[in-house]
Amino acid sequence: MEKQQPITVKTTIAAPLTKVWQYWNQPEHVMQWAFASDDWEAPAATNDLRVGGQFSTTMAAKDKSTSFDFTGTYVVVENESVIEYDMPNGRHVKVEFIQVPEGVQVIETFDPEGTHSREMQQAGWQSILNNFKKHVENA
């Protein structure tokens, strides 16, 4: 199977870089934004933010009908700049944090999986990123 082109989602958050970085990485904050829709939640999260460290976020339907753990192992960690990780299925993700006049641009580039359409994956990841933006700006 040939490798598909990565998908990119992004947003600009009106907040200082240090706050954006902390809210992205601290488990107590991850649990407030790491889901794509209001009928989902993130009831658990752990994060060992270092090269070789791992993270896990439980994403669950609020009606308890389904849940899964979103996990990865960090391969690049540059403080307040770049995070890259690999998922257990071999997919790679790069997250960039770029200071811009309006705040911080967060750009996520990820390898798609083969089950869902590119459009569905892009929409889901963008929804999660939009939740992150809302959480940071409203905190």
Side-chain angles (χ1 to χ4, degrees):
M1 186 168 130
E2 98 182 39
K3 185 174 173 163
Q4 297 182 49
Q5 284 294 106
I7 298 171
T8 298
V9 296
K10 58 186 164 184
T11 193
T12 301
I13 300 168
L17 179 58
T18 298
K19 180 180 180 181
V20 172
W21 181 263
Q22 289 173 346
Y23 280 41
W24 186 268
N25 291 299
Q26 293 175 345
E28 62 269 24
H29 287 290
V30 173
M31 292 167 48
Q32 303 301 311
W33 61 262
F35 40 89
S37 64
D38 289 340
D39 54 345
W40 280 69
E41 62 186 349
T46 60
N47 192 17
D48 182 9
L49 185 63
R50 62 181 174 81
V51 173
Q54 298 183 336
F55 70 88
S56 177
T57 303
T58 300
M59 297 180 174
K62 287 182 178 176
D63 69 5
K64 311 294 185 222
S65 62
T66 188
S67 71
F68 66 94
D69 290 331
F70 182 77
T71 62
T73 301
Y74 294 111
V75 294
V76 174
V77 177
E78 296 175 13
N79 192 44
E80 295 186 355
S81 177
V82 177
I83 295 171
E84 294 186 43
Y85 60 88
D86 292 328
M87 293 185 250
N89 62 7
R91 295 166 53 213
H92 184 77
V93 179
K94 179 178 184 178
V95 187
E96 299 170 272
F97 301 82
I98 302 168
Q99 190 93 53
V100 296
E102 305 80 24
V104 178
Q105 187 174 44
V106 179
I107 304 169
E108 274 189 289
T109 304
F110 63 95
D111 292 335
E113 42 90 352
T115 305
H116 300 94
S117 72
R118 290 178 64 83
E119 295 77 19
M120 185 177 185
Q121 292 177 69
Q122 185 166 16
W125 284 58
Q126 185 68 56
S127 291
I128 294 169
L129 194 54
N130 293 346
N131 273 349
F132 175 67
K133 172 185 172 73
K134 185 169 57 175
H135 176 65
V136 174
E137 290 182 347
N138 292 336

